[in-house]
């Protein structure tokens, strides 16, 4: 039997991913450092669990002995992605995560050849905005002939989980980056551009998102820019350790996500598409669990992959109540 291990399973998104994986009938092993929390969650879900930190490679290797795919939900990913990617390569285990941190994707690029040689897949961003925006961009690109520039904007609504806030604080990219002529270059911080998410144009800030790597990798369009519009609580202040675990179910239901892509062709014509979906945390947990299920079922490709290239541009629309429309 093929097994999916979820590392960081007792965290806010990890728990939801585990619940969705179990509901889909995926053979599951929970893992992490907190034994008490793992015992409780494993008993509730009726699945196996393993307790280990990431500072003992021998223990880590033994823990992956009967694992076919690992879904890393343990942020900040700056602390976990490098160790777990390399362990997966050494042990022939496909790697997935839910990271939104640029450095993890740079690492996957750097390890692509090594992973490919070991017939191991690296799929960072198997859920979340990377899956959303990659599929949205691919959908729009399919409507064009000669795309030259992609601008994508994400409307983030509602509050952050404690883990997301800590990860964001620890992985803040000093530079605002864009992809120009296929290369990542610095842009002036604070730049804005207006996008319409369906209720009129609003200002969006240019930010550095991992989609600068994944969208370019999946489309090969040379110029990519990423933007965000935030409503709701925004980024929390004060002691992040005192934040609640994450938004309640009611808060998630009240705060859907939207995204817009604009693809400019070489003749100047612009193609636009709009994605509407459930709250980002809900989407991430469902999409990551579904990605794990599909990988165990054989949908895998060696080396660094993206959700859109691996599962197709329609992947996002298979997740919960997600739609893409042309505007």
């Amino acid at each position: 039997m093929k097994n999916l291990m979820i590392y960081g399973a007792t965290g806010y998104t990890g728990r939801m991913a585990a619940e969705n994986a179990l509901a889909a009938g995926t053979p599951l092993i929970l893992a992490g450092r907190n034994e008490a929390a793992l015992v409780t969650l494993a008993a509730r879900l009726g699945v196996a669990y393993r307790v280990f930190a990431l500072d003992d490679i021998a223990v880590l290797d033994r823990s992956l002995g009967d694992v076919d795919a690992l879904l890393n939900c343990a942020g900040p990913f700056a602390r976990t992605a490098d160790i777990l990617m390399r362990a997966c390569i050494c042990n022939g285990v496909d790697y997935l995560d839910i990271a939104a941190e640029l450095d993890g994707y740079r690492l996957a690029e750097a390890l692509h050849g090594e992973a490919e040689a070991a017939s191991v897949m690296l799929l960072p961003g198997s859920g979340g905005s990377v899956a959303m925006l990659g599929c949205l961009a691919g959908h729009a690109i399919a409507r064009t002939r000669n795309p030259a520039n992609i601008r994508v904007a994400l409307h983030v609504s509602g509050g952050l989980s404690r883990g997301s806030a800590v990860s964001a604080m620890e992985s803040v990219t000093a530079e605002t980056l864009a992809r120009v002529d296929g290369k990542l270059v610095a842009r002036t911080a604070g730049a804005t551009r207006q996008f319409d998410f369906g209720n009129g144009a609003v200002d969006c800030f240019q930010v550095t998102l991992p989609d600068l790597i994944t969208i370019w990798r999946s489309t090969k369009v040379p110029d990519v820019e990423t933007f965000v519009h935030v409503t709701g609580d925004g980024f929390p202040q004060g002691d992040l350790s005192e934040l609640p675990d994450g938004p309640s179910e009611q808060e998630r239901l009240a705060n859907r996500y939207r995204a817009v892509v604009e693809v400019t062709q070489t003749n100047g014509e612009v193609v636009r598409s709009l994605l509407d979906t459930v709250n980002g945390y809900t989407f991430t947990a469902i999409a990551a669990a579904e990605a794990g299920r599909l990988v165990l079922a054989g949908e895998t490709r060696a080396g660094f992959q993206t959700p859109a290239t691996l599962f197709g541009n329609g992947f996002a629309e298979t997740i919960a109540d997600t739609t893409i429309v042309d505007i």
Side-chain angles (χ1 to χ4, degrees), residues 46-303:
V47 299
Y49 71 92
R50 289 174 191 162
V51 183
F52 60 93
L54 302 181
D55 54 359
D56 189 327
I57 299 302
V59 172
L60 175 54
D61 289 343
R62 288 197 299 272
S63 299
L64 295 177
D66 59 350
V67 173
D68 297 275
L70 181 141
L71 171 59
N72 180 14
C73 293
F77 294 91
R79 303 178 189 174
T80 63
D82 190 314
I83 296 170
L84 286 172
M85 280 189 196
R86 294 179 189 276
C88 284
I89 291 171
C90 289
N91 290 278
V93 175
D94 289 323
Y95 173 92
L96 303 83
D97 71 28
I98 57 170
E101 304 164 18
L102 187 73
D103 285 348
Y105 295 79
R106 283 175 158 160
L107 174 64
E109 281 189 313
L111 293 176
H112 170 73
E114 190 175 340
E116 194 171 42
S119 297
V120 167
M121 182 175 66
L122 304 177
L123 187 68
S126 57
S129 62
V130 168
M132 292 180 201
L133 300 184
C135 291
L136 177 62
H139 171 95
I141 289 293
R143 300 170 56 206
T144 68
R145 287 190 174 183
N146 297 298
N149 176 280
I150 299 174
R151 294 186 180 95
V152 62
L154 178 65
H155 180 193
V156 177
S157 179
L160 294 178
S161 72
R162 181 172 59 247
S164 295
V166 172
S167 289
M169 180 63 71
E170 293 195 7
S171 64
V172 171
T173 302
E175 292 182 308
T176 299
L177 301 176
R179 191 169 288 276
V180 180
D181 293 330
K183 298 180 180 179
L184 290 176
V185 301
R187 286 288 178 83
T188 303
T192 63
R193 184 181 179 89
Q194 289 203 323
F195 292 85
D196 188 346
F197 296 98
N199 295 307
V202 294
D203 286 335
C204 299
F205 288 92
Q206 189 165 16
V207 294
T208 302
L209 296 179
D211 309 275
L212 294 170
I213 291 176
T214 54
I215 288 178
W216 175 79
R217 192 172 185 87
S218 62
T219 68
K220 298 305 180 185
V221 174
D223 293 358
V224 183
E225 297 173 287
T226 52
F227 298 80
V228 168
H229 178 71
V230 179
T231 56
D233 295 338
F235 194 86
Q237 304 298 315
D239 186 352
L240 300 183
S241 66
E242 296 181 357
L243 289 174
D245 200 22
S248 67
E249 182 178 1
Q250 292 73 24
E251 289 169 331
R252 294 198 306 271
L253 288 171
N255 290 284
R256 295 176 66 85
Y257 276 29
R258 286 191 166 191
V260 173
V261 65
E262 296 180 352
V263 180
T264 303
Q265 303 184 80
T266 53
N267 64 2
E269 293 182 1
V270 180
V271 167
R272 296 179 177 86
S273 297
L274 169 71
L275 178 146
D276 178 85
T277 190
V278 293
N279 183 266
Y281 289 105
T282 302
F283 182 98
T284 298
I286 297 173
E290 176 63 3
R293 186 189 71 81
L294 291 171
V295 169
L296 288 189
E299 292 195 39
T300 182
R301 192 179 305 149

